[in-house]
Amino acid sequence: MSDHTDYSSRLWFGMTRLELVEHLRALARDLETYESQSVERIVTKIDRWAIARRAVPCLVGIATGHPTLGDGQPIFSSELFFLDRTRHVARTFSRFYRLGNEASPGYWENNYSEER
C-alpha cells in the first residue's frame, strides 16, 4: 500500500484502508445477521429521530462506459470509499472507477454552476 493511498483513506474516513475494509466487513456481518440479533442488546437509543441528508465524499466528473449513464455527461458518483491516485483507481459504493485526468481547481464551479 502506498503512503498516498493510506493518506487519502485517512483524510476521508479517519482510518487506514485496511481499517476501513474491516469496518465495512463488520457492517456487512451486522446486516447479514440482523434478523437473529436481540433488539434489547442495542445500547444506543435515538429519540426525536428523522431521516436527513448529509454530505459524503463522492466523485464528480464526465463518465465514459458507465453501465446506465450516457457517455460524456457530468455525473456525481455514489459515496466514495477508496481513492488510489497512484494507480488511478477509485471505489464508490456501487463500482470501481478508472481515474482519468483530474479537474483543475474551480473547474466545476466555473463550468457547471447553476447560474450559467
Side-chain angles (χ1 to χ4, degrees), residues 16-66:
T16 67
R17 181 180 61 88
L18 295 178
E19 290 167 337
L20 175 62
V21 167
E22 186 49 43
H23 185 83
L24 293 171
R25 283 187 180 135
L27 172 63
R29 281 191 301 272
D30 286 349
L31 294 175
E32 287 173 340
T33 62
Y34 168 75
E35 301 281 332
S36 65
Q37 300 300 314
S38 169
V39 173
E40 290 76 27
R41 294 184 62 197
I42 300 172
V43 177
T44 305
K45 178 182 176 184
I46 185 168
D47 284 315
R48 298 184 192 133
W49 67 272
I51 296 176
R53 293 181 185 210
R54 63 183 178 92
V56 295
C58 67
L59 296 173
V60 60
I62 307 295
T64 304
H66 191 284

Side-chain angles (χ1 to χ4, degrees), residues 61-102:
I62 307 295
T64 304
H66 191 284
T68 59
L69 303 174
D71 287 351
Q73 298 298 312
I75 66 159
F76 283 92
S77 72
S78 56
E79 185 172 359
L80 179 66
F81 281 93
F82 178 71
L83 177 68
D84 184 342
R85 291 173 188 256
T86 304
R87 295 184 65 202
H88 308 283
V89 172
R91 177 61 161 103
T92 67
F93 184 75
S94 54
R95 69 186 27 76
F96 275 100
Y97 284 92
R98 199 169 19 91
L99 300 174
N101 296 321
E102 188 169 358

